[in-house]
Amino acid sequence: MKVIKPVFNILRNKYLVATIAFVVWMLFFDRNDFFNQRERRQHLYELQESKEYFTNEIIKERKFSEELKNNPAVIEKIAREKYMMKRDNEDLFIIQPAEEKE
């Protein structure tokens, strides 16, 4: 009985009960509860990382595009490597790796 009486006196404080109820409601039952906030924060972090990655890729591609517009050596390099083009007096040898036998 001595233990129950102080607990009952604490629970009689309507402000404390209201505060506890509010905190419990906000942590577990609200639409923007703690767990949803954590998921959204994680998703935001992932989106920021992907934004940084794509921004860097855009910078690289713009630099490459400018090189293609201004530098004929880059155009020749791409033509030779990607499209297997050659000059008139050259021979082109394509070496492919051997297929692995299973």
Side-chain angles (χ1 to χ4, degrees):
M1 187 70 175
K2 290 183 178 183
V3 174
I4 295 175
K5 191 168 185 172
V7 172
F8 183 70
N9 286 338
I10 292 172
L11 290 179
R12 283 182 50 198
N13 186 348
K14 61 184 174 184
Y15 300 109
L16 180 65
V17 172
T19 302
I20 291 172
F22 177 74
V23 168
V24 168
W25 182 266
M26 293 306 287
L27 283 177
F28 299 107
F29 301 115
D30 191 43
R31 185 176 62 156
N32 298 320
D33 63 354
F34 174 74
F35 305 106
N36 283 338
Q37 290 294 332
R38 193 174 64 194
E39 284 180 23
R40 289 178 182 150
R41 195 174 298 119
Q42 179 65 28
H43 186 65
L44 176 65
Y45 178 71
E46 291 170 0
L47 288 175
Q48 287 172 342
E49 284 183 347
S50 67
K51 177 185 174 189
E52 183 178 323
Y53 169 75
F54 286 119
T55 303
N56 290 336
E57 290 296 315
I58 288 171
I59 291 170
K60 288 178 189 176
E61 292 298 321
R62 283 185 181 160
K63 183 179 177 184
F64 180 70
S65 175
E66 286 298 318
E67 287 180 4
L68 279 177
K69 289 178 185 176
N70 300 327
N71 193 352
V74 173
I75 296 172
E76 183 178 348
K77 177 184 173 193
I78 296 298
R80 287 174 175 269
E81 290 178 359
K82 190 171 183 180
Y83 298 109
M84 305 296 176
M85 293 183 170
K86 64 181 185 97
R87 291 187 179 155
D88 290 335
N89 58 355
E90 291 180 335
D91 292 328
L92 182 65
F93 296 99
I94 300 173
I95 300 173
Q96 295 179 346
E99 296 179 6
E100 295 182 14
K101 296 180 181 178
E102 294 181 13

